Amino acid sequence: MAEFDRAGVWQERNKNIFRGSLERALELIDLTVADPRWATERRMLLGLRDEVASFYAGTRTESVSLLSRTL
């Protein structure tokens, strides 16, 4: 997902852009969860959402780029 890559670039450079990228990623995940075509993948998507939220909240501090590598 491009937002994870964008967040990785800005994680150490600009916290506002970093958080904005994570906000957009959360929005996109929420839209995907709401789409019935993804119902069978809902648990995985909600797990991903939890991980993104951890970075957004600051409880995870390692490189956010691991999210894009995981996908």
Side-chain angles (χ1 to χ4, degrees), residues 11-67:
Q11 188 170 11
E12 298 300 323
R13 296 180 187 177
N14 186 313
K15 292 298 180 188
N16 290 329
I17 296 173
F18 170 69
R19 289 177 57 89
S21 296
L22 294 178
E23 287 173 7
R24 181 66 179 148
L26 290 168
E27 282 180 47
L28 293 170
I29 293 168
D30 289 343
L31 289 169
T32 306
V33 167
D35 186 335
R37 294 175 292 180
W38 288 90
T40 59
E41 304 298 330
R42 190 163 283 137
R43 176 178 273 173
M44 183 270 310
L45 289 165
L46 292 174
L48 175 61
R49 190 186 194 294
D50 285 345
E51 293 300 317
V52 175
S54 295
F55 281 100
Y56 185 82
T59 56
R60 295 199 55 183
T61 57
E62 63 267 33
S63 175
V64 75
S65 63
L66 72 91
L67 291 173

